[in-house]
Amino acid sequence: LMTNFLSWLLGTWSNKHQAQSAPTLYKSVSVRWEQNDEFINSIHWGRRTPHEPYLKTYKKLVEVSDKEVILEHWGGTYSGLARNEDCDMVLKYDGQAWLGKFDTSMDETGEVITGHAELGVYGTKLFMRDRFLDSKGRIVWGADEIYKYLRVQ
């Protein structure tokens, strides 16, 4: 199964079509999911800066069953290599897609930040949403919208 899940996720994805259809709402971005030894990395970059990723995350894959995996969060660009169970994501296979999400909150020097993330892999499509809000409900990272990527390789 791990091979199955990874065969769905690994590769390079772009939301170019979505960004062109609604340029004021969506930045044109790409993400590459790749396996590097014990980690699975997501590397995110904008259309104009392909060699300057704005985000890289470190995940470890845990197999729960043939229809359930956990992407453990092991940090990234902003936290360094640091385990954070609050950002682990359970993904379940429903027969057509791998779907997962998490909700979390963290205290950043006295201010509570709440986070929500979703990931859906539908064969040639990848849907991702990340949104972190400050205590006043303002977005400090990510967006309300789901970014819809198509596999490019």
Side-chain angles (χ1 to χ4, degrees):
L1 158 86
M2 301 250 292
T3 317
N4 178 21
F5 173 73
L6 290 179
S7 71
W8 284 60
L9 180 67
L10 298 183
T12 303
W13 306 81
S14 169
N15 80 326
K16 180 179 174 182
H17 180 75
Q18 181 187 44
Q20 287 177 338
S21 66
T24 57
L25 199 54
Y26 300 99
K27 292 182 205 158
S28 183
V29 292
S30 296
V31 59
R32 184 172 64 250
W33 286 90
E34 60 186 27
Q35 188 156 22
N36 291 309
D37 300 321
E38 63 184 313
F39 292 108
I40 297 162
N41 297 119
S42 69
I43 301 160
H44 308 249
W45 67 91
R47 180 176 59 84
R48 292 187 181 92
T49 55
H51 302 294
E52 297 172 30
Y54 62 84
L55 178 65
K56 181 176 184 179
T57 68
Y58 293 83
K59 310 285 185 185
K60 286 187 182 179
L61 185 64
V62 177
E63 182 178 2
V64 178
S65 72
D66 62 345
K67 293 190 174 177
E68 184 175 336
V69 298
I70 300 169
L71 276 179
E72 292 183 343
H73 187 70
W74 284 80
T77 301
Y78 298 99
S79 60
L81 197 55
R83 178 80 176 100
N84 184 347
E85 294 177 10
D86 293 334
C87 295
D88 287 358
M89 184 179 289
V90 175
L91 293 111
K92 295 184 179 180
Y93 184 67
D94 69 359
Q96 296 184 324
W98 285 94
L99 303 170
K101 66 181 178 178
F102 72 78
D103 291 282
T104 185
S105 65
M106 55 199 100
D107 190 326
E108 293 284 323
T109 62
E111 176 163 36
V112 176
I113 305 286
T114 56
H116 173 82
E118 297 173 39
L119 178 65
V121 192
Y122 306 80
T124 59
K125 295 178 183 172
L126 172 73
F127 289 6
M128 292 174 57
R129 179 182 183 202
D130 288 293
R131 183 193 66 213
F132 287 82
L133 305 175
D134 68 12
S135 57
K136 296 181 177 68
R138 294 176 299 214
I139 294 176
V140 292
W141 172 260
D144 284 325
E145 295 77 29
I146 293 175
Y147 273 65
K148 299 178 179 181
Y149 299 84
L150 297 176
R151 184 183 289 282
V152 291
Q153 69 183 49

